[in-house]
Amino acid sequence: MEGRFYAYGRLRFSLAPRCVFLRNNWQYVGESPGQNGSQFLLGELEQRTVAATARVDMAVSNALTLQLYAEPFVSVGRYAGWKEIANARAGVASDRFRPAAGPTELGLADPSFAIANLNANLVARWEFRPGSTVFLVWSHRGAFSGAGPDTLGSSAEALWRPGLANNVDVLLLKLNWWMNV
């Protein structure tokens, strides 16, 4: 689904949101040593992903334009319903697995996750004389990942917080000068 909006020919806005809900009943989690060799642990993964692409183009005048592009992305996955492989070649799917202890009881980390990313760009373009332009560009990349869905609450703020190792801001100035040779 995408929406576009035009106002007076000088402002253009588009938004394309996306939502994905995924459920995988047999997601591989890991393995741990068992009585008869390795014990393969599976879990029921419930994953929710929300993302969007937003763009705003604005012509302030014939010589000055602004463009904003932003793409936020959030994905949360929660595991439950732990099972281990009992007979991988069983003819009926329900005979292939048996209930198992969770990953922490088997010495594995909880695989639940929360991920958030934000990419944004702002470009100002000024044509100060015919053929000569100045571009001022700001680019931001923010990333957050946590060990579980409960960590996502602070991620929106973390995507903008300066000084975090996963956040990168770049400011660029470019000058094009037309030379009549």
Side-chain angles (χ1 to χ4, degrees):
M1 181 172 91
E2 183 173 347
R4 294 177 189 254
F5 172 73
Y6 299 93
Y8 306 113
R10 293 187 176 267
L11 180 65
R12 182 174 56 190
F13 175 78
S14 66
L15 179 65
R18 297 177 302 281
C19 293
V20 177
F21 299 103
L22 170 74
R23 184 171 181 94
N24 184 346
N25 291 328
W26 302 332
Q27 179 64 44
Y28 174 77
V29 173
E31 62 183 278
S32 65
Q35 295 174 352
N36 300 326
S38 292
Q39 181 177 349
F40 296 98
L41 183 65
L42 302 155
E44 296 173 5
L45 169 63
E46 186 176 306
Q47 181 178 357
R48 294 185 172 139
T49 302
V50 178
T53 301
R55 184 179 189 115
V56 178
D57 297 319
M58 186 171 98
V60 178
S61 68
N62 290 338
L64 180 63
T65 60
L66 299 171
Q67 294 178 321
L68 173 66
Y69 173 86
E71 187 172 25
F73 170 88
V74 176
S75 186
V76 175
R78 186 179 305 247
Y79 285 82
W82 307 107
K83 50 185 96 96
E84 63 184 357
I85 297 177
N87 181 0
R89 297 184 182 182
V92 179
S94 61
D95 294 339
R96 294 180 191 163
F97 309 103
R98 66 176 163 253
T104 53
E105 289 86 0
L106 298 174
L108 300 171
D110 182 3
S112 297
F113 60 89
I115 299 170
N117 289 312
L118 173 65
N119 295 318
N121 295 308
L122 178 64
V123 178
R125 179 187 172 277
W126 176 41
E127 186 173 5
F128 58 93
R129 58 180 258 193
S132 299
T133 54
V134 173
F135 293 90
L136 181 61
V137 179
W138 168 71
S139 180
H140 174 80
R141 180 183 58 85
F144 172 84
S145 62
D150 300 334
T151 62
L152 191 62
S154 60
S155 66
E157 179 188 341
L159 291 176
W160 289 101
R161 193 176 313 144
L164 289 179
N166 293 333
N167 291 352
V168 176
D169 287 294
V170 175
L171 190 61
L172 173 75
L173 180 66
K174 178 182 174 185
L175 172 65
N176 291 337
W177 188 271
W178 175 260
M179 296 174 60
N180 196 4
V181 184

